[in-house]
Amino acid sequence: MQHSTVSPAALGRLVGLRTGGRPVLSLYLNLDPSLAPHISDRRIELDSLLCEAATQARTMGDRDGAHEIMRVRRFFVDERLAVNGARGLAVFSCETDGFFEVLALPDGVAPAIHLDERAVIEPLVEMVCPERWCVLLLSSRASRIFLGSRDSLSEIQHVFDDVHRRHSQGGWSQARYQRGIQKEIDGHIRQTCELLSERCRSEPFHHLVLGCSLELRPRVERELHPDLRERVEGHFEIDVERATAEQVYGRALPAIEAQESGRERDALDRLTEGLAPDGHASVGLEETLGLLQEGRVQMLLVARGYTAPGFVCPRCGRLDVEDRLCSLDGTAMRPHKNIVERAIECALVRSVEVLIMRGHAGELERHGSIAALLRY
Ligand SMILES: [Zn+2]
């Protein structure tokens, strides 16, 4: 089975599903090795989710739902619950539309199953084009690579090269021993940097943080490919061989937050500029929603945690803050508990950059918690 990746195009396919009122099955499985290390655990989790949904479908007399569950169950009979580089899987099934799609997820995900009128894509939204972070730990004899988002990192590579022990068995003179060691350390740094370039080609990341001693830092930066060197956002010292993923994340977080804060500051400055007469920006939910659906938004800014109720056209998916007939097709709108979520989906499907404000959320709240920088 070919797995697709999470992208605006994949979200677009899911949002555009024509279900004819029949249910869509959305299934999320966690493959993060730090949380579900054994394939047998994943199999048990999958079975329990499918059983839970089957019971629910039976109780509700939902035969179409039961049929989708069977479809997914059949798919997993021959499917190994391990995918190279993936830390989660999402499966969507809707036979009415002949639809069956499996997405390999770049981050772990809370296991869940839904039978609903539309594909449940909220867990994917944060995975579409977020900033990817890499942390490289390097000592004179070990290297470890961690990859993830600003919220979590998982270890994807661990290399241990016991340079010292190999040399201490040789019976060399002290000077020759030291030279030999330094040469080997240089080789180890070079190989690690090459490995990192390779990993970046298969699983691209935007930013890099280095965890190594002050002494090794210039040597590592020298060996990094120039493309990677310019992505270095920070440095910290840590026990390279023994640190846990949580400790690594904790030490990398200040660099992550500093970069994020700079990006938010920049967007807010552009917003202030855009709000001047003849500028290209909008603030507030109603105006921003309208411009977003006209395709005029270049970047959508949303304060983290902001939610607002609204209305959705069941026919064309148009979003509105007021309960009036759809401005495109005159259909009566349906209430929706969080229209902000749908606005973010709408932006991602149109490949509009979405910036969820964290550090500077308060400043955006003064503008109604949602704003946009416009194309024209
Ligand atoms: Zn409509």
Side-chain angles (χ1 to χ4, degrees):
M1 174 83 197
Q2 189 67 41
H3 302 93
S4 312
T5 51
V6 185
S7 63
L11 282 194
R13 288 194 294 276
L14 294 166
V15 170
L17 267 177
R18 296 282 160 255
T19 63
R22 288 184 31 159
V24 184
L25 188 148
S26 312
L27 170 70
Y28 288 91
L29 284 177
N30 190 46
L31 306 185
D32 190 332
S34 59
L35 299 169
H38 300 296
I39 293 199
S40 58
D41 296 335
R42 300 172 186 172
R43 182 66 65 182
I44 290 168
E45 183 146 276
L46 170 68
D47 287 340
S48 110
L49 287 170
L50 290 172
C51 282
E52 175 195 317
T55 311
Q56 189 196 334
R58 215 172 19 249
T59 329
M60 313 266 293
D62 178 1
R63 295 177 69 179
D64 295 331
H67 179 75
E68 299 299 344
I69 296 164
M70 278 309 293
R71 247 183 129 201
V72 172
R73 206 185 276 284
R74 273 201 302 274
F75 167 74
F76 277 108
V77 168
D78 297 321
E79 186 71 8
R80 282 194 69 231
L81 286 173
V83 181
N84 245 349
R87 278 171 278 286
L89 271 187
V91 182
F92 300 92
S93 171
C94 179
E95 183 133 58
T96 324
D97 211 1
F99 191 87
F100 197 91
E101 177 142 358
V102 184
L103 300 178
L105 309 181
D107 295 313
V109 72
I113 193 161
H114 308 270
L115 275 168
D116 203 354
E117 272 179 28
R118 55 188 283 272
V120 173
I121 61 172
E122 283 71 27
L124 303 179
V125 166
E126 288 206 349
M127 293 182 200
V128 179
C129 327
E131 304 279 291
R132 304 291 296 166
W133 285 85
C134 176
V135 177
L136 171 66
L137 299 193
L138 210 141
S139 70
S140 58
R141 57 181 191 174
S143 64
R144 300 168 70 187
I145 299 175
F146 294 79
L147 204 62
S149 64
R150 64 95 53 223
D151 291 310
S152 71
L153 294 168
S154 0
E155 182 158 15
I156 59 165
Q157 192 112 29
H158 192 147
V159 177
F160 182 78
D161 185 357
D162 202 344
V163 175
H164 300 264
R165 184 172 302 154
R166 203 154 5 107
H167 281 262
S168 62
Q169 287 164 351
W172 290 358
S173 74
Q174 189 58 23
R176 219 180 133 198
Y177 169 73
Q178 280 305 337
R179 271 200 309 279
I181 293 247
Q182 288 309 324
K183 228 175 131 192
E184 290 244 0
I185 293 174
D186 282 338
H188 162 65
I189 295 175
R190 192 168 310 124
Q191 274 173 12
T192 301
C193 290
E194 280 166 14
L195 184 70
L196 190 67
S197 291
E198 245 168 66
R199 293 302 302 226
C200 188
R201 275 191 291 277
S202 58
E203 290 183 75
F205 54 84
H206 306 86
H207 311 288
L208 177 61
V209 183
L210 301 177
C212 60
S213 66
L214 282 171
E215 187 227 326
L216 284 187
R217 183 183 177 180
R219 290 164 77 177
V220 176
E221 291 199 350
R222 210 166 32 240
E223 289 299 336
L224 280 176
H225 188 279
D227 281 353
L228 294 185
R229 201 180 304 137
E230 65 187 30
R231 290 177 212 193
V232 175
E233 300 282 355
H235 165 263
F236 58 85
E237 292 189 271
I238 197 165
D239 183 338
V240 167
E241 283 160 45
R242 278 191 286 270
T244 63
E246 289 72 35
Q247 287 166 335
V248 172
Y249 174 70
R251 298 303 305 276
L253 194 57
I256 295 175
E257 285 176 341
Q259 188 278 339
E260 202 171 64
S261 170
R263 194 164 161 248
E264 291 182 9
R265 187 65 266 157
D266 180 55
L268 284 168
D269 290 346
R270 286 172 62 198
L271 180 66
T272 310
E273 229 169 82
L275 289 176
D278 299 325
H280 300 296
S282 75
V283 289
L285 186 57
E286 182 163 14
E287 193 186 342
T288 302
L289 266 188
L291 291 162
L292 181 64
Q293 296 178 101
E294 280 172 36
R296 285 182 56 191
V297 172
Q298 186 185 49
M299 188 194 259
L300 182 68
L301 317 181
V302 184
R304 188 169 192 231
Y306 171 54
T307 62
F311 298 87
V312 183
C313 171
R315 187 145 168 219
C316 70
R318 190 168 176 82
L319 311 173
D320 206 331
V321 290
E322 277 184 50
D323 189 8
R324 50 194 161 200
L325 298 180
C326 171
S327 58
L328 294 182
D329 48 39
T331 309
M333 304 284 255
R334 277 193 201 156
H336 193 277
K337 64 180 186 304
N338 184 11
I339 202 91
V340 179
E341 199 173 71
R342 299 296 296 269
I344 293 173
E345 279 172 32
C346 171
L348 292 171
V349 166
R350 291 166 183 261
S351 294
V352 169
E353 192 180 345
V354 177
L355 184 58
I356 308 290
M357 294 268 172
R358 293 169 183 256
H360 295 283
E363 228 168 300
L364 189 60
E365 279 159 13
R366 287 203 290 279
H367 290 297
S369 297
I370 188 164
L373 304 177
L374 306 179
R375 291 182 210 282
Y376 55 89

